Amino acid sequence: KIISREVNKAGLIDIIGAAGGKNVHGEEVQKLDEFANSVIIKTMEHGGHLAGMASEEMDSFIKIDMQYPKGGYLLLFDPLDGSSNIDVNVSIGTIFSILRFSAGRELTEADFLRPGAEQAASGYILYGTSTMFVYTTGHGVHGFTLDPSVGEFLLSHENITTPGHGKIYSINEANTKHWFTGTSKYIERLKSPEKDYCARYIGSLVSDFHRNLLKGGVFLYPGDKKSKNGKLRLLYEANPLAFIVEQAGGAASSGDKRILDIIPQELHQKTPLIIGSKKNVDEAVTLWKEEGI
Ligand code: P6P
């Protein structure tokens, strides 16, 4: 709610001051992703639910301070994904993943490096035309919409399921020159005369994912000749969305394996990601394997 309030003021940059500068009161203005990061840490560190956190914004994991009670969960998050879109008033999102932690011993980075299949919960908050909270604990996917007039999230999308096949594809086609053959052949197939696909790419992962989740379709951020592991992060972007999409009946793959089966090697590792309606993902993965990802 706090992040939504600040994100929705981002348009008032001339009044509240640009990030890194000072506002009309001469106060330092934090970058919104740094602000979101500190809001989440301050909100979650004292509740007694967590043994630690890991954030896209911070190199190493965060231990819960001695002064606070510790709990049996780890929170991994991207506090404000797509923050480059803030200045142009495009939707952005927070993505989170929750792992279990057997309390009673010293927390290490290895405790965060668990496959996505072990997640206890995951979800995202989308700061769009409305602010939505979408989550799963392994019992379906449920969406809540913030009613700012009462400051409460109301259950607006119970048991979200994604269509088995969709006609939307989302990929940054400016990267065509770097694509491996499999990606090129798959996208060319979608654009062939006998198909009637629609390209939609906002450039904000949570927005592109959420639209395809509800309408059906596929989002691809593949590895390519320039970046073999693509751009998106496994632990707090691909894994949480993969848990959501599988619970909604969809699929998520790195091209050569199910996202939720990947054993992480490091906190901020990247992974190629193809995610969405099961038939779309299966078709792309099959072609990628035949042609070489
Ligand atoms: P590109 C935003 O910067 C982000 O991390 C995701 O939200 C988004 O899906 C992706 O990068 C867009 O990347 O290379 O297409 O601009």
Side-chain angles (χ1 to χ4, degrees):
K1 292 174 192 174
I2 295 169
I3 296 170
S4 174
R5 182 194 66 202
E6 291 306 307
V7 163
N8 288 319
K9 279 192 312 194
L12 300 172
I13 211 116
D14 297 341
I15 300 169
I16 62 175
K22 292 185 187 300
N23 64 17
V24 290
H25 310 294
E27 297 151 345
E28 287 296 319
V29 176
Q30 259 186 313
K31 277 163 53 73
L32 269 178
D33 43 10
E34 290 163 7
F35 172 80
N37 187 57
S38 60
V39 164
I40 292 172
I41 291 171
K42 289 196 179 84
T43 306
M44 299 306 296
E45 65 184 352
H46 60 276
H49 301 290
L50 300 179
M53 293 183 252
S55 168
E56 190 263 350
E57 290 286 323
M58 305 176 79
D59 290 344
S60 57
F61 69 90
I62 306 149
K63 289 185 177 175
I64 299 297
D65 192 279
M66 298 291 284
Q67 64 181 307
Y68 301 128
K70 289 177 187 49
Y73 294 98
L74 304 179
L75 174 65
L76 302 88
F77 59 95
D78 184 352
L80 209 55
D81 175 76
S83 49
S84 55
N85 290 305
I86 292 171
D87 298 344
V88 292
N89 206 6
V90 166
S91 300
I92 49 183
T94 296
I95 313 172
F96 67 90
S97 169
I98 297 176
L99 294 170
R100 292 180 183 84
F101 173 69
S102 46
R105 58 176 174 77
E106 187 65 16
L107 180 68
T108 67
E109 185 174 283
D111 293 306
F112 291 87
L113 304 183
R114 306 307 309 149
E118 292 184 14
Q119 290 175 99
S122 79
Y124 56 87
I125 296 92
L126 175 57
Y127 311 100
T129 45
S130 62
T131 294
M132 272 198 75
F133 180 95
V134 179
Y135 85 102
T136 186
T137 59
H139 302 280
V141 177
H142 310 289
F144 297 74
T145 301
L146 179 64
D147 179 344
S149 66
V150 294
E152 289 297 341
F153 281 94
L154 309 181
L155 178 59
S156 53
H157 298 67
E158 190 167 8
N159 281 321
I160 295 174
T161 55
T162 196
H165 180 265
K167 293 289 192 184
I168 297 171
Y169 74 94
S170 309
I171 190 167
N172 185 339
E173 299 208 34
N175 294 328
T176 302
K177 53 188 174 292
H178 302 305
W179 289 345
F180 294 128
T181 313
T183 306
S184 304
K185 288 211 169 179
Y186 175 63
I187 300 301
E188 279 322 301
R189 177 186 293 183
L190 300 189
K191 296 160 86 168
S192 55
E194 67 274 12
K195 304 273 188 178
D196 59 348
Y197 279 84
C198 166
R200 284 287 181 272
Y201 193 74
I202 298 171
S204 184
L205 175 59
V206 176
S207 303
D208 280 317
F209 174 81
H210 183 72
R211 178 203 53 241
N212 292 2
L213 180 74
L214 298 187
K215 295 195 167 188
V218 60
F219 171 95
L220 307 94
Y221 209 108
D224 60 27
K225 297 164 198 161
K226 189 177 67 166
S227 325
K228 72 175 178 57
N229 287 320
K231 173 180 184 181
L232 301 176
R233 309 287 177 172
L234 174 61
L235 286 179
Y236 40 77
E237 290 177 336
N239 271 344
L241 298 183
F243 190 14
I244 291 272
V245 84
E246 286 198 4
Q247 282 290 308
S253 172
S254 64
D256 60 1
K257 66 170 62 173
R258 178 182 177 237
I259 289 288
L260 296 182
D261 290 338
I262 297 174
I263 309 285
Q265 301 305 313
E266 53 180 55
L267 212 48
H268 300 288
Q269 80 180 57
K270 297 177 183 176
T271 178
L273 178 65
I274 171 166
I275 188 167
S277 297
K278 186 157 181 8
K279 282 193 185 146
N280 300 73
V281 173
D282 290 350
E283 181 186 0
V285 170
T286 303
L287 198 53
W288 284 10
K289 283 188 171 146
E290 283 165 7
E291 298 291 340
I293 302 171

